[in-house]
């Protein structure tokens, strides 16, 4: 029986979205380490869910974040502690809501699907509420 092929993983290039080249001076060692950890946890979640998703928002340098409608001034994206994944049909959000134990095991928090139509927001740092699923 052939070995089961592992689904593709998101790469740093997917997460940085070219911003690592345009805003190199803002990409500190700490931010790079955060990006690697965010991707490690996200890829583990996607493998558990049996899904692959496109990054719709990864690292946001300050100037990019300021231009994103509705983005929080203190967004976790600024320090590579958050990722947004395409989720047009809501399947990933639904999977996350049904598997909160996996999110806890991976150290991920989910912005409530009602607040993120069309995408799934995950972060590696708890929100102020401390809730695994939270509203912004």
């Amino acid at each position: 029986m052939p070995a089961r092929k592992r689904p593709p993983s998101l790469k740093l290039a997917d997460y940085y979205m070219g911003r690592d080249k345009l805003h190199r001076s803002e990409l500190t060692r700490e931010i790079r380490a955060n990006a690697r950890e965010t991707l490690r946890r996200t890829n583990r979640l996607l493998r558990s869910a049996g899904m692959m998703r496109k990054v719709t928002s990864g690292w946001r340098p300050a100037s990019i974040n300021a231009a994103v409608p509705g983005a929080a001034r203190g967004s976790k994206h600024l320090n590579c502690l958050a990722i947004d994944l395409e989720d047009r049909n809501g399947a990933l959000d639904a999977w996350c809501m049904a598997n909160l134990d996996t999110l806890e095991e991976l150290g991920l928090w989910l912005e409530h699907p009602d607040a993120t139509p069309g995408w799934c927001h995950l972060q590696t740092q708890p929100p102020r509420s401390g809730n695994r699923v939270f509203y912004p």
Side-chain angles (χ1 to χ4, degrees), residues 14-130:
D14 302 321
Y15 186 74
Y16 289 142
M17 305 172 79
R19 297 167 181 164
D20 55 325
K21 293 167 183 55
L22 298 172
H23 301 271
R24 184 180 314 271
S25 64
E26 295 176 58
L27 197 55
T28 65
R29 255 187 217 170
E30 179 183 1
I31 290 174
R32 287 179 189 272
N34 291 345
R36 287 190 300 274
E37 182 61 17
T38 296
L39 276 183
R40 185 186 72 77
R41 294 182 196 188
T42 301
N43 280 321
R44 285 185 63 200
L45 178 115
L46 291 171
R47 279 193 297 276
S48 294
M51 299 180 193
M52 186 58 189
R53 291 291 188 266
K54 177 184 170 194
V55 176
T56 58
S57 190
W59 176 50
R60 293 187 203 151
S63 60
I64 301 288
N65 194 65
V68 173
R73 275 187 286 196
S75 171
K76 303 291 185 229
H77 289 275
L78 290 163
N79 294 306
C80 293
L81 298 171
I83 188 168
D84 292 343
L85 302 169
E86 185 176 71
D87 194 29
R88 290 183 189 159
N89 64 3
L92 181 57
D93 273 334
W95 187 92
C96 288
M97 292 294 283
N99 293 277
L100 295 177
D101 56 330
T102 301
L103 269 71
E104 184 175 356
E105 178 185 317
L106 295 173
L108 289 169
W109 285 262
L110 174 70
E111 194 166 316
H112 198 283
D114 289 348
T116 59
W119 77 93
C120 174
H121 172 94
L122 298 164
Q123 59 187 55
T124 60
Q125 190 175 68
R128 279 188 295 251
S129 69

